Amino acid sequence: MCGFAWRIFISWPAVYDTTCPNVSNIVRGIIEEALKTDARIGASLIRLHFHDCFVNGCDGSILLNNSATIESEKEALPNNNSVRGFGVVDDIKTALETACPTTVSCADILAIAAEESVSLAGGPSWDVSLGRRDSTTANRTAANTFLPGPTQPLYILKEMFSTMGLDTTDLVALSGAHTFGRAQCSTFINRLYDFNSSGNPDPTLNTTYLSTLQGICPQDGDPTVVTNLDLTTPDVFDNKYFSNLQVLEGLLQSDQELFSTADENDTVAIVNNFTADQTAFFASFVVSMIKMGNISPLTGTAGEIRLNCGKVNDNSTESDGLLYSSM
């Protein structure tokens, strides 16, 4: 499919039981420390995992910096000045290299960090499939092609998820990760003033919420200003994201499309189910996260275990400087 070698990834959470038995505790501890000064870091880390897996599979390629031979995915349009959390990933990698050198891949760090971030925010826990290895290349072109955007219509989102082997339930469940975190004005200002060149705001946006957002994001204002993705419980992983959609208070167009797209009764039914039953949302979210984490990993002798998540091993031309993002 689309040139990628999609395959089922079957591994075990116990893969590091003897080689790095404290891996999850180490990852969790560093995220807990980061949360003390950055309430949105958990959402940022799960987004890194998502943006990694949708580009050539879950191989840690999103973490690679520019070099003589690598065009970093960090500078792809969906990622540039948007994805963040690289410093926390580096802190995790440093701690793991001290505790168990050359053992835990950067791709697995992203998968573990996503699970721990959800758990720390009050969401579900799950056994993360482990054993991924790290890529030695990045693919900025694929990042510009395959990462879903905040202004895309529902039929395009469905197609993009289907390309990754994910179905409509996966789309809705994984979109529920927007129950915590922030988004920049640039990602939703298209809805506030001149939606689809109509001269009017998006009609599927609650008018009271619209006024609030216009105050946060005035026309010709700073596009990097952020606001909560979930206006109800912005730092808690729960099902309020879905009840927000029911009252037209989804922040991104791609969020509200799940409930407000005409003749798309399948996504509406899933949103309604997840609104009524948080346990059902959590269960589906776990299944979908495991499926996404299994997209075309490198295993066996493919790839490597990077010593520094920002560069490939044994390459003196790589820059030690990391690309940090303001978002």
Side-chain angles (χ1 to χ4, degrees):
M1 299 174 66
C2 299
F4 296 143
W6 305 112
R7 60 184 182 274
I8 297 173
F9 174 36
I10 301 175
S11 190
W12 300 270
V15 69
Y16 297 123
D17 273 5
T18 58
T19 57
C20 196
N22 293 321
V23 57
S24 293
N25 289 335
I26 291 170
V27 173
R28 187 180 185 91
I30 291 172
I31 296 173
E32 285 178 322
E33 188 64 27
L35 283 167
K36 293 177 181 179
T37 56
D38 184 357
R40 59 193 176 117
I41 190 61
S44 299
L45 291 170
I46 195 172
R47 187 165 182 246
L48 275 180
H49 183 43
F50 183 104
H51 281 218
D52 183 38
C53 291
F54 265 58
V55 180
N56 286 15
C58 308
D59 61 0
S61 60
I62 194 172
L63 303 173
L64 287 170
N65 300 319
N66 282 322
S67 75
T69 58
I70 290 173
E71 284 194 336
S72 175
E73 293 169 20
K74 296 176 183 180
E75 295 183 358
L77 290 175
N79 293 331
N80 195 30
N81 295 317
S82 178
V83 289
R84 61 192 299 275
F86 300 112
V88 173
V89 174
D90 291 335
D91 290 343
I92 293 169
K93 183 60 174 174
T94 297
L96 289 173
E97 285 301 310
T98 299
C100 33
T102 66
T103 300
V104 182
S105 68
C106 299
D108 273 354
I109 286 174
L110 292 181
I112 298 167
E115 188 276 336
E116 295 291 351
S117 295
V118 170
S119 174
L120 285 167
S125 298
W126 62 93
D127 291 333
V128 180
S129 296
L130 298 170
R132 302 168 190 81
R133 288 170 64 84
D134 297 320
S135 70
T136 56
T137 60
N139 193 334
R140 187 184 298 176
T141 299
N144 281 321
T145 302
F146 293 108
L147 288 173
T151 64
Q152 286 169 324
L154 183 55
Y155 79 93
I156 294 292
L157 295 173
K158 286 183 172 182
E159 289 176 0
M160 297 181 84
F161 273 68
S162 178
T163 297
M164 300 297 144
L166 302 171
D167 61 25
T168 299
T169 299
D170 298 319
L171 165 61
V172 179
L174 292 173
S175 296
H178 287 172
T179 188
F180 66 168
R182 314 286 185 267
Q184 295 184 16
C185 289
S186 61
T187 62
F188 59 87
I189 199 166
N190 67 300
R191 307 183 68 200
L192 305 186
Y193 301 100
D194 186 23
F195 183 65
N196 288 344
S197 301
S198 66
N200 296 301
D202 186 344
T204 67
L205 189 56
N206 178 289
T207 55
T208 301
Y209 189 36
L210 169 65
S211 296
T212 299
L213 294 176
Q214 288 175 331
I216 297 169
C217 305
Q219 285 183 295
D220 302 318
D222 183 353
T224 66
V225 169
V226 298
T227 193
N228 298 322
L229 281 161
D230 176 351
L231 78 166
T232 308
T233 52
D235 297 320
V236 179
F237 197 97
D238 56 21
N239 66 340
K240 296 299 189 292
Y241 164 86
F242 298 104
S243 56
N244 292 340
L245 300 184
Q246 292 180 322
V247 294
L248 307 185
E249 291 179 346
L251 181 63
L252 306 180
Q253 178 185 340
S254 56
D255 292 327
Q256 196 59 53
E257 290 265 347
L258 300 177
F259 189 77
S260 299
T261 303
D263 301 320
E264 292 287 354
N265 295 328
D266 54 350
T267 59
V268 172
I270 299 168
V271 169
N272 288 339
N273 180 41
F274 290 168
T275 300
D277 188 347
Q278 180 169 276
T279 300
F281 164 48
F282 281 6
S284 290
F285 183 79
V286 166
V287 170
S288 297
M289 283 296 293
I290 292 171
K291 285 177 66 176
M292 185 184 75
N294 287 351
I295 295 174
S296 197
L298 299 174
T299 58
T301 58
E304 64 183 16
I305 305 297
R306 281 187 226 136
L307 304 181
N308 177 331
C309 290
K311 63 179 186 176
V312 299
N313 295 338
D314 299 322
N315 187 340
S316 60
T317 65
E318 296 288 345
S319 169
D320 287 328
L322 296 176
L323 296 176
Y324 288 99
S325 170
S326 61
M327 172 58 182

